[in-house]
Amino acid sequence: MFIMVQQHEIGRLWRAMNRPDLAEDLRFRTNRDRVKNNQELREIIETWLQSFPDRDRALAELDAQRVPRAPVLKLEESMTMPHLRGCKTVRRIKHEVLGEFDIPGMPVKFSGWPDHTDVIASRLGGDTAAVLSEVLGLSATEIDELHRDKVLLTAIGDRETVAAS
């Protein structure tokens, strides 16, 4: 989880942790002190967090004291969050072979940027020749040799083949 408290909020964290003694601890009185003694503070907070049976109970305890916090989500968790779907940070796309599925979208939004842009991924190897010739200056013959030597991957029909290593 991510916990971020400012000087005026640190008392909330001490209350949530049931550690009023930390308010008087010279190592943690100011933000500068906490930064200087970050490792010790981190160990104290992590030990406290480990006393909970799960992340949600720790989050609830912090929430009860209005401590600014957020869970660090696994990809699978973030893909199901209604908020992330609502702000289009998770997008549903349609793929010609795989069908419809969700992908992470752009997490940062800009004014004037379209709400939805079509994202079309090339098939496996679909752009390889163009990239190798335009960026690396390889000739068509050199690219064909890489395919023949099974260095490059190529999509064949609806099945993708992988070169043996």
Side-chain angles (χ1 to χ4, degrees), residues 8-145:
H8 69 281
E9 300 166 317
I10 195 68
R12 298 177 196 171
L13 178 59
W14 304 151
R15 281 192 300 280
M17 295 173 63
N18 197 25
R19 292 289 308 269
D21 59 298
L22 294 176
E24 301 305 319
D25 191 318
L26 296 178
R27 298 173 298 169
F28 311 127
R29 290 197 64 171
T30 67
N31 188 53
R32 180 176 295 210
D33 296 330
R34 289 188 294 278
V35 169
K36 182 178 172 187
N37 297 291
N38 183 270
Q39 187 58 41
E40 295 97 321
L41 180 57
R42 182 180 181 156
E43 289 171 11
I44 291 168
I45 294 171
E46 286 180 355
T47 298
W48 175 72
L49 290 171
Q50 289 168 3
S51 72
F52 290 91
D54 57 48
R55 179 185 72 187
D56 290 339
R57 294 205 189 158
L59 289 168
E61 188 65 35
L62 291 164
D63 232 12
Q65 295 299 325
R66 297 180 52 233
V67 176
R69 88 311 173 270
V72 175
L73 302 175
K74 296 178 183 172
L75 179 61
E76 301 82 28
E77 292 174 305
S78 66
M79 297 295 278
T80 62
M81 297 286 292
H83 171 74
L84 296 178
R85 289 183 172 284
C87 66
K88 298 186 176 129
T89 300
V90 174
R91 297 181 36 193
R92 188 143 194 89
I93 64 165
K94 186 173 185 175
H95 186 271
E96 64 183 65
V97 175
L98 302 175
E100 288 190 15
F101 58 94
D102 295 328
I103 63 168
M106 179 67 164
V108 178
K109 307 296 180 198
F110 301 98
S111 61
W113 189 266
D115 225 11
H116 177 77
T117 54
D118 289 331
V119 176
I120 302 171
S122 299
R123 297 287 310 275
L124 180 63
D127 298 315
T128 302
V131 170
L132 292 176
S133 64
E134 292 170 21
V135 176
L136 297 180
L138 296 183
S139 68
T141 303
E142 291 171 309
I143 294 169
D144 287 342
E145 287 174 12

